[in-house]
Amino acid sequence: KNGILTPQLSRPPRNLKWLQKRLLQPRVDSDWTLTGAYYQRWYDFPEYAPFAQGLEQPCPGFIQGFSLEAYIDTDVEYLSAAVCYRSGGQSLTLPHMAGEFAVGTLEAEEAADARHGAALVYMRNTTLLHAKMRKDPEDVAVIITFISDGLFIRFYAHYESKAPDGKIVYHQYPILAANLAASYDEFLRGVAMLRNCQDLAFVLAMETKNHLEQY
């Protein structure tokens, strides 16, 4: 009803192979600083988002993005759907990745992950529209989330598309997974994919931030 699709109903993004290659590429040292938060509810997320009506505010297990203080001469807090939360001197804006930590099965967390992925897509697209930036191509995903129980980690691509009836739907499609307990090499592979996911999220957040500061 809210337009958020399960992995079984989601279509693979057109850039699926690129995403897989991006997560599997060799690691390089990263030089970035982002604000991270665990189980922080998004009190500033707009309740009027079409898929959010009737649902509690997003509260992913992990999230990363820039704080409000990172923006120079830009009142990003007045931009619709740009701020997740601001409280007690802490804030987080325009995240491009999120993660869930499963106590039971990974599948049990997929519904929450789908909602949080949809929220990230909505925030990005709303910001791109406001700043007159070019929207991501149709059926192309740039938002990635993960679910892990400490033994396995699974990555998902998120994007929006139009259903035949014209309504916006949000896809959640599995990209890659790793069995962290299978071997040391597989553990390193899973960690590398997570770090590459964070790198991609940083690049996208930085591009958006730079454009907003020049807008």
Side-chain angles (χ1 to χ4, degrees):
K1 293 181 179 180
N2 57 14
I4 300 177
L5 304 179
T6 64
Q8 294 76 18
L9 296 177
S10 296
R11 296 195 309 265
R14 288 199 291 118
N15 61 331
L16 175 61
K17 290 185 177 180
W18 182 88
L19 290 172
Q20 293 171 333
K21 183 178 179 180
R22 182 67 177 80
L23 291 191
L24 291 172
Q25 71 180 21
R27 286 292 304 145
V28 295
D29 291 335
S30 301
D31 183 19
W32 47 260
T33 55
L34 290 174
T35 297
Y38 295 89
Y39 296 104
Q40 171 63 56
R41 191 166 299 282
W42 299 3
Y43 292 109
D44 289 271
F45 186 78
E47 297 179 355
Y48 54 77
F51 63 86
Q53 297 178 18
L55 299 176
E56 62 182 6
Q57 294 164 313
C59 185
F62 173 76
I63 195 75
Q64 72 171 34
F66 287 107
S67 66
L68 286 171
E69 290 71 25
Y71 292 83
I72 302 174
D73 299 326
T74 303
D75 296 327
V76 70
E77 62 267 33
Y78 298 110
L79 177 60
S80 173
V83 180
C84 294
Y85 67 88
R86 45 189 163 177
S87 176
Q90 303 295 318
S91 59
L92 192 140
T93 68
L94 295 174
H96 281 73
M97 71 162 291
E100 310 297 335
F101 302 106
V103 176
T105 65
L106 301 188
E107 289 75 15
E109 292 294 327
E110 284 185 341
D113 180 76
R115 293 195 301 271
H116 296 150
L120 295 179
V121 172
Y122 178 83
M123 294 178 78
R124 174 174 172 80
N125 289 342
T126 301
T127 301
L128 295 181
L129 179 64
H130 175 89
K132 298 181 180 179
M133 296 172 64
R134 185 171 63 180
K135 190 176 180 181
D136 298 319
E138 185 176 359
D139 291 345
V140 166
V142 297
I143 297 297
I144 300 177
T145 62
F146 71 87
I147 304 176
S148 179
D149 61 358
L151 297 177
F152 297 89
I153 187 168
R154 189 178 298 162
F155 297 89
Y156 300 83
H158 299 262
Y159 67 98
E160 70 170 33
S161 69
K162 279 191 176 182
D165 60 3
K167 294 182 179 179
I168 298 296
V169 294
Y170 294 86
H171 299 261
Q172 174 198 32
Y173 194 83
I175 306 175
L176 289 168
N179 182 346
L180 302 175
S183 66
Y184 183 60
D185 286 342
E186 186 71 357
F187 172 79
L188 293 179
R189 176 175 173 269
V191 172
M193 286 194 291
L194 177 59
R195 296 295 289 172
N196 285 335
C197 178
Q198 290 180 283
D199 288 347
L200 176 60
F202 169 75
V203 170
L204 294 168
M206 179 61 79
E207 289 177 350
T208 306
K209 173 179 173 292
N210 289 343
H211 191 94
L212 287 173
E213 290 176 340
Q214 298 169 9
Y215 176 65

